[in-house]
Amino acid sequence: MPPRRSNTLTEAELRLMRLLWRLGECSVQDLVSAMPADGRLAYNSVLTTIRILESKGYVEHRQDGRAFLYTAVVAEHAAQQSEVRHVIGRFFENSREKLMLAVLGDGQVSAEELARLKQAIAEAEAAARSTEQEEPGQ
């Protein structure tokens, strides 16, 4: 059985996951080389972090000759959803409503973002109505 994934990623772990999601399968050296020069981590730091990601269940490897090639086994969207659930549980008492009110109440939402949010809410409402109609006894 694979190890239980941690709910959250550290900043260093997230940097590597973003590279893996973008590049696909790659070696530690590939990851180091793909980092911007001004924020490049040392080979050993990347190796340690990638091993932590593997122990958390986010990454797996296969051996190719002497090199290990690493692949993300958690999709970016799944990782995002996991992080959101963690934040909702930790700060908003598992209330999506409280999260949205906090987001909307900060005065930083643009008209374009509001339009996309309204569309997403309309789609969620339609999906909820559809689900309610399909459930027996409703």
Side-chain angles (χ1 to χ4, degrees):
M1 185 161 100
R4 186 181 176 284
R5 271 199 332 269
S6 169
N7 284 339
T8 61
L9 294 169
T10 66
E11 285 302 315
E13 291 167 352
L14 182 56
R15 284 176 64 191
L16 292 184
M17 288 303 297
R18 284 184 173 142
L19 287 172
L20 285 170
W21 288 322
R22 184 171 49 107
L23 300 172
E25 184 179 68
C26 54
S27 68
V28 170
Q29 186 58 53
D30 294 333
L31 291 168
V32 171
S33 299
M35 290 180 169
D38 61 344
R40 187 164 288 155
L41 297 175
Y43 181 94
N44 285 338
S45 296
V46 173
L47 179 60
T48 299
T49 305
I50 204 82
R51 287 180 175 164
I52 291 168
L53 284 167
E54 189 167 27
S55 72
K56 287 182 171 184
Y58 281 89
V59 171
E60 67 183 14
H61 76 272
R62 71 175 180 87
Q63 194 160 358
D64 183 29
R66 293 184 51 186
F68 282 2
L69 298 177
Y70 294 89
T71 306
V73 293
V74 175
E76 186 172 10
H77 181 74
Q80 290 169 343
Q81 291 300 311
S82 176
E83 291 286 336
V84 168
R85 281 190 301 274
H86 176 74
V87 168
I88 291 171
R90 185 163 181 218
F91 292 101
F92 300 100
E93 301 168 349
N94 288 318
S95 169
R96 288 171 175 79
E97 178 185 6
K98 287 181 181 181
L99 170 69
M100 290 306 298
L101 291 172
V103 168
L104 295 173
D106 75 355
Q108 302 292 316
V109 182
S110 71
E112 295 82 18
E113 289 173 318
L114 281 172
R116 288 191 299 271
L117 287 169
K118 286 177 185 177
Q119 179 63 36
I121 289 169
E123 291 169 5
E125 286 175 335
R129 280 191 299 272
S130 173
T131 300
E132 288 173 358
Q133 291 173 354
E134 291 174 6
E135 292 178 358
Q138 293 292 324

